[in-house]
Amino acid sequence: MTTFSLFRSMLRIRRIEEAIAERYGAQEMRCPVHLSIGQEAVAVGVCAALQPQDGVFGGHRAHAHYLAKGGDLTAMLAEIYGLENGCCRGVGGSMHIIDLAAGFLGAVPIVGATIPLAVGAAWAAKLRNEDKVIVVFFGDGTFEEGVVHESINFAVLHRLPVLFVCENNLYACYTRLSERQPDRPIHAIAAAHGCRIFTAEGDDVEAVHAASRMAVADLRAGGAPVFLECSTYRWREHCGPNQDDHLGYRPSGELAKWESTCPVSRLASTLSSSPEGARLVAAAEAEIAGEIASAFAAALASPVPQPADLPGYLYA
Amino acid sequence: MTTFSLFRSMLRIRRIEEAIAERYGAQEMRCPVHLSIGQEAVAVGVCAALQPQDGVFGGHRAHAHYLAKGGDLTAMLAEIYGLENGCCRGVGGSMHIIDLAAGFLGAVPIVGATIPLAVGAAWAAKLRNEDKVIVVFFGDGTFEEGVVHESINFAVLHRLPVLFVCENNLYACYTRLSERQPDRPIHAIAAAHGCRIFTAEGDDVEAVHAASRMAVADLRAGGAPVFLECSTYRWREHCGPNQDDHLGYRPSGELAKWESTCPVSRLASTLSSSPEGARLVAAAEAEIAGEIASAFAAALASPVPQPADLPGYLYA
Amino acid sequence: MPEIERRITQAEAIREALAQAMEEDERVIVIGEGVPDPKGIFGTTTGLQQRFGKARVFDSPLSENGITGICVGAAISGMRPVMVHQRIDFALLAMDQIVNNAAKWHYMFAGQVKVPLVIRVIIGRGWGPGPQHAQSLQALFAHIPGLKVVMPTSGYDAKGMLLAAIRDDNPVIFIEHRWLQDIADHVPEAPYIVPLDQALICRPGQHVTLAAFSYMTVEARLAAEALAEHGIEVEVVDARSVRPLDMSTIVESVRRTGTLIVADTAWKTGGIAGEVIAGVAETAFSALKRPPLRICLPDIPAPTSPHLTRGYYPDALYLARAIAAHLGRSIPDAELADRLFRTTPHDVPQREFRGPF
Amino acid sequence: MPEIERRITQAEAIREALAQAMEEDERVIVIGEGVPDPKGIFGTTTGLQQRFGKARVFDSPLSENGITGICVGAAISGMRPVMVHQRIDFALLAMDQIVNNAAKWHYMFAGQVKVPLVIRVIIGRGWGPGPQHAQSLQALFAHIPGLKVVMPTSGYDAKGMLLAAIRDDNPVIFIEHRWLQDIADHVPEAPYIVPLDQALICRPGQHVTLAAFSYMTVEARLAAEALAEHGIEVEVVDARSVRPLDMSTIVESVRRTGTLIVADTAWKTGGIAGEVIAGVAETAFSALKRPPLRICLPDIPAPTSPHLTRGYYPDALYLARAIAAHLGRSIPDAELADRLFRTTPHDVPQREFRGPF
Ligand SMILES: Cc1ncc(C[n+]2csc(CCOP(=O)(O)OP(=O)(O)O)c2C)c(N)n1
Ligand SMILES: Cc1ncc(C[n+]2csc(CCOP(=O)(O)OP(=O)(O)O)c2C)c(N)n1
Ligand SMILES: [Mg+2]
Ligand SMILES: [Mg+2]
């Protein structure tokens, strides 16, 4: 995976989420949305290390993971709009997305809920002798759920091909890490459980990618489960399209500091230092803008889903 | 606490549980019992480091903890017999015991269930500025429950005066540790959570006691929560009065090895090496036998409890 | 009586009750994910930490079972914790501590230890919360001996019942509905108590008893007003409590009206609406002049899309139609529809609602 | 037909079903705390690991929520896990994964993913299990759309329904009763299926419909036999499934008998007995000639002492008395008591039972 394609994938996710934020005010996406703006490098760096047959699970903040794994953009947007062509036909909305063809195995908003599922999927892969790595993304807050420890214990016990990716953005909703956890590294607990550990600055996509490649290679070779902790930062409000620095729950200057190390624009500047690079960046912006415009148009052209179909989804 | 009194407390618990085992076959103790025979040194070593105002919680295997903390013997026996003078008036049986006067704050059989309660009691003590340490005993298997990690995280975060005592007897029911957990120390996970760690050979009551004294002193001085892991071994079946080595779930010779380091008889021999010590040991045996006989008699003299009283226990 | 003019929202009423409880009893502490944050649990806890300090108002790690157990531990040690889940769905993680410990600790030890614990849980919806964030799980708690379970509707009751719950020596599951939080009501400032075990006849009527739970009471009253214009007098009973159910108020009402309809915010099968019907059928069978009827959610999880939630939640119009049909009364549907047509979008509590949750 | 002579216990029937399911489908795996241990979950899993290997039969860490989620993850990845809790009380730790994920995964994703998962849970008692180890929590699962919930009584049904549950593509909560495990029944060796949604009329009768769940069916049949001698013909319906409830079999029976009594192993308030009554009252009100009646546990947790459990669990004698009284029939009590007097101690399933659980 070239630096440029890592960059392009991040840029695409950034622009898609910005577009969602911009259109959210129109009151047509009638469900909660949790944006990853600022955190794209983790999703992209990890997923770029995966093969199509590998599986990914996410949580409430999963757009970036879905897109980075190759999830269908139009289906995601249609889902957020609650339309029939949505990836869950409108049953789920932003917090429930899935694209089985792309190996995005599902995201749901109960925090921690998909972590044992990822371990179970990895267990199935091992029992069936499939060459498959399973990744699950979750936040620093989610690590406080007991089920995470239960899941890690089982994964290490059975040496399953699972990569736990903790996106430590310092907050759970509006609550800072220090109000929820003592001052010690999250990954040290995973290490004590017997995971192999990697850490990366989550605003450096190449660092995340390098760590992920090693991790995934380890897992394919039958190594112990890997826990990757990435420092990162959410720029917008916990849930919804807006800025929220005025609420005062972040120390002043913190957001600005993280914005200054924006994974997307830093890489854009680097790439743009050559004229060829600058051209590529500009072209990417243009292509992505076009793709987004058509995806929104296609999504909005979807028929509306029918309540009468709901009972049919309940049982297989 | 002198070596002799540590010994005497262990001997007393051993003889009480042997008496329970012996009488269990009469079919009059009609509830599950989980004996601590072989594990007495942990209960005794820890509780001997406590003050009366300190609190202790246990789990399904709690006779030793209750007795070591000074719980009323007759009330416990009456409870196992399901009689009105039982410590729960027969509502609880062996798996639910309590003696508030002695600071034994309760034991219940859902594994892990009392661990957050202990943290909550320690939290209350801290909020109320009480000079109180809270101890909770649990097994190696219990450590697999997610709630344990949630509890430790909160305790460390708020720096609560709680001592977590893990009695690692290598088994949960008939399942060996290696079938349930990867090969890494349990206490290392607690350390990563930020607990202060002590370990002790659980068949050496003086070692347990020494560690506990340091731990409790730390906690009284406002130190971080402590996690004490003791290696130990259950001699009888998981639940019930019998030997069960014939079932073949333990490697052969393992039980014999642990029996050979019996915390009670090792100390008995040491003490008996002087004539004065031998006299004391013999006297203790005699006194304890007498106490047990009268306690059983007193317990069995209890009236039977009345079902009509039950609804009154439901709500305060 | 200038008091009578004082109208505040239910969220404010809850916040006031919390503040007054903390003022009158220093053992009261408040904890939950987001309690001291800028959003303050939909405004119900805003400002409490500033006022009562960090030693009594706590944020919480994301550890529902652990924190519940920790609160049980604090409660049996003399504190009076009030904890809160922003969604009842999260309480599923804590069922072990709620059912195995909180509900039974007093009983298991034959009454030696009290568990004065309040667990606030919020049901209902912003928009599009979907299958995992919009459940109405009162039936799961209603089945458990040892718990008290209440579902106030009015702001007045929310304050009075929360104060009663906090003063109660038992674990109380206090169920709030998201759509009630912004409704204003007359709420006296001075502390007062509303009992935890009494239903309220909030509109008398002789033709049919409509027992409603929580937000359904709001829709029930609207339906009743509309039907009154057509000569159907609906007695609306705000059940208010779920465990214990105040069956005697409901049964007496049914003895007067001969007809029982129950409206609940939850799925029909296995819900508390069925419990109300079973209780009446067992104890006042001869009072029933016709079959009882449940009006509940269909037996499927809540979907997210507004196109799919349309029709999922029974509203006043649905109730009015169903009641008229059940009584065999034909009312020109256009008139009902006209009267009860909801001009606010069906998926938001107030027109001003702008998301995101 | 030598088959007809083959009688095995319910525990053996369950073990046989597991073995046959594993044989016919290699995706079937079995996991649970103690599954491969010498006690083998009351004998229901003994020998399976020896036969099918460590790659398909697993012990489990004590991590109920985690393991449930792991099994959901395996199920959506093409395996067909069967997991087991030795007591339903432990499943409370897993309510999050059961209710939020297992029950909804197929629905949330609009039918794209199946969850073929069986969760075996054991209710009932040895002796003295007490408040935390003897709950009958079927009502908690019965309320949840997306789950199937069954409670077979006979060994025949246990095998056939377990095979059906394992072949089913949905999450099934399979509830076994400790007191049924040692009862022998005619159980054919070859694999067969008993549907997951059909009640069974196991004794016809024209005077009263007695719908019973799980072990209560055993007591119900004894009561029915005794009452028959006094001219009361009880139709005993073994409900067998809880979700979906086979209401049409029950309703048809009530249409014949005019009287409905429901016997459940659980607490009365908020239990499934109420659901049965509500369903019948709603849909076949006019068939009811007298009030329906529930016979359930009192609304308090199980105590431990045998002195306290006496009278806690309604038995055949209790049922017979209650039925006769409900029908207004006076039967000399001594005769009933004589016929139904239990010579085995009331707190053990069989005379040979020696503890400890
Ligand atoms: C079990 C559960 N508890 C609480 C919530 C409410 N909630 C949604 S997101 C969130 C914070 C998650 O924090 P983190 O894991 O750090 O992820 P981030 O939002 O920072 O990406 C919380 C508490 C939930 N969805 N599920
Ligand atoms: C939540 C829960 N799951 C399972 C059980 C059944 N159970 C009782 S004791 C026990 C083993 C506990 O092992 P450990 O913690 O090591 O304690 P030990 O018995 O060895 O003292 C189990 C699984 C239970 N009581 N509670
Ligand atoms: Mg975070
Ligand atoms: Mg152990």
Side-chain angles (χ1 to χ4, degrees), chain B residues 1-217:
Chain B
M1 183 69 69
T2 66
T3 302
F4 177 75
S5 51
L6 291 172
F7 163 75
R8 193 185 190 287
S9 179
M10 286 197 300
L11 180 70
R12 176 171 175 268
I13 293 170
R14 171 72 55 93
R15 295 294 176 253
I16 291 167
E17 291 216 303
E18 285 171 348
I20 291 170
E22 207 180 294
R23 301 186 190 214
Y24 193 81
Q27 306 275 289
E28 283 168 14
M29 304 179 196
R30 301 176 81 84
C31 63
V33 293
H34 299 77
L35 304 179
S36 292
I37 293 176
Q39 308 192 179
E40 300 87 348
V42 185
V44 169
V46 170
C47 291
L50 300 177
Q51 299 295 320
Q53 81 273 16
D54 295 330
V56 169
F57 287 90
H60 58 287
R61 190 181 310 287
H63 299 170
H65 310 130
Y66 171 101
L67 295 168
K69 186 61 171 72
D72 186 291
L73 171 59
T74 306
M76 185 182 93
L77 294 175
E79 187 59 35
I80 300 176
Y81 278 109
L83 298 175
E84 176 70 6
N85 294 349
C87 57
C88 312
R89 300 177 164 224
V91 180
S94 159
M95 303 194 296
H96 302 77
I97 49 181
I98 192 167
D99 188 332
L100 294 174
F104 190 79
L105 303 180
V108 295
I110 293 289
V111 304
T114 50
I115 297 180
L117 267 62
V119 172
W123 189 35
K126 177 155 182 176
L127 292 173
R128 296 155 74 107
N129 246 316
E130 293 170 341
D131 172 30
K132 219 186 225 183
V133 165
I134 307 291
V135 177
V136 59
F137 291 95
F138 54 91
D140 50 298
T142 302
F143 190 77
E144 295 148 15
E145 295 287 357
V147 74
V148 180
H149 301 267
E150 298 179 350
S151 303
I152 295 175
N153 179 62
F154 189 88
V156 177
L157 176 68
H158 290 282
R159 225 178 157 79
L160 303 179
V162 59
L163 171 59
F164 300 99
V165 182
C166 180
E167 298 181 287
N168 185 345
N169 66 5
L170 295 175
Y171 293 88
C173 307
Y174 306 89
T175 306
R176 210 174 157 74
L177 188 55
S178 55
E179 302 286 314
R180 300 177 282 108
Q181 297 179 28
D183 183 20
R184 43 82 199 129
I186 286 176
H187 60 262
I189 298 174
H193 273 296
C195 286
R196 176 145 190 220
I197 303 300
F198 291 86
T199 60
E201 306 285 308
D203 49 4
D204 179 348
V205 70
E206 302 197 88
V208 174
H209 185 52
S212 304
R213 282 177 58 176
M214 280 192 284
V216 170

Side-chain angles (χ1 to χ4, degrees), chain B residues 87 113 117 120 128 150 313 315-316, chain C residues 66 78 97 101 106 112 147 170:
Chain B
C87 57
L117 267 62
R128 296 155 74 107
E150 298 179 350
Y313 301 148
Y315 291 99
Chain C
Q97 283 293 335
N101 273 355
H106 184 267
Q112 292 173 75
L147 296 180
N170 299 286

Side-chain angles (χ1 to χ4, degrees), chain A residues 87-88 91 96-98 100 105 107-108 110 113 116-117 119-121 123-124 127-128 147 150 153-154 310 313-316, chain D residues 55 58 63 66-67 69-70 73-74 77-79 96-97 100-101 105-110 112-113 146-147 169-170 243:
Chain A
C87 57
C88 310
V91 179
H96 303 76
I97 49 181
I98 192 167
L100 295 173
L105 303 180
V108 295
I110 293 289
L117 267 61
V119 172
W123 189 35
L127 293 172
R128 297 154 74 106
V147 74
E150 297 179 351
N153 180 63
F154 190 88
L310 290 173
Y313 301 149
L314 192 57
Y315 291 100
Chain D
F58 302 83
S63 308
I67 300 302
I70 287 166
S77 306
M79 306 301 290
D96 163 45
Q97 283 293 334
N100 284 328
N101 272 356
W105 202 264
H106 185 267
Y107 176 85
M108 289 189 288
F109 297 111
Q112 292 173 72
V113 198
L147 297 180
D169 277 334
N170 299 285
R243 187 177 190 99

Side-chain angles (χ1 to χ4, degrees), chain C residues 311-340:
Chain C
Y312 181 78
Y313 295 101
D315 60 7
L317 179 57
Y318 183 98
L319 285 171
R321 284 175 175 152
I323 293 166
H326 196 63
L327 296 178
R329 293 285 304 275
S330 71
I331 298 181
D333 194 62
E335 284 178 39
L336 273 188
D338 209 46
R339 176 86 155 76
L340 292 172

Side-chain angles (χ1 to χ4, degrees), chain A residues 179-198:
Chain A
E179 301 286 314
R180 299 177 282 109
Q181 298 180 27
D183 184 19
R184 44 80 200 131
I186 286 175
H187 60 261
I189 299 174
H193 273 295
C195 285
R196 174 143 191 226
I197 303 300
F198 290 86

Side-chain angles (χ1 to χ4, degrees), chain A residues 174 234 236-238 242-250:
Chain A
Y174 306 88
R234 158 175 62 73
R236 304 249 173 150
E237 58 187 344
H238 163 66
N242 302 309
Q243 310 285 346
D244 73 349
D245 213 23
H246 63 281
L247 291 179
Y249 68 96
R250 325 187 191 226

Side-chain angles (χ1 to χ4, degrees), chain C residues 25-26 28 39 111 124 138 142 164-165 175 188 192 212 214 239 265 269 313 333 354:
Chain C
D25 188 339
E26 62 178 18
V28 176
K39 302 276 164 130
Q138 52 267 29
I175 303 179
Y192 59 92
S214 183
T265 61
T269 301
Y313 295 101
D333 194 62
R354 285 288 172 279

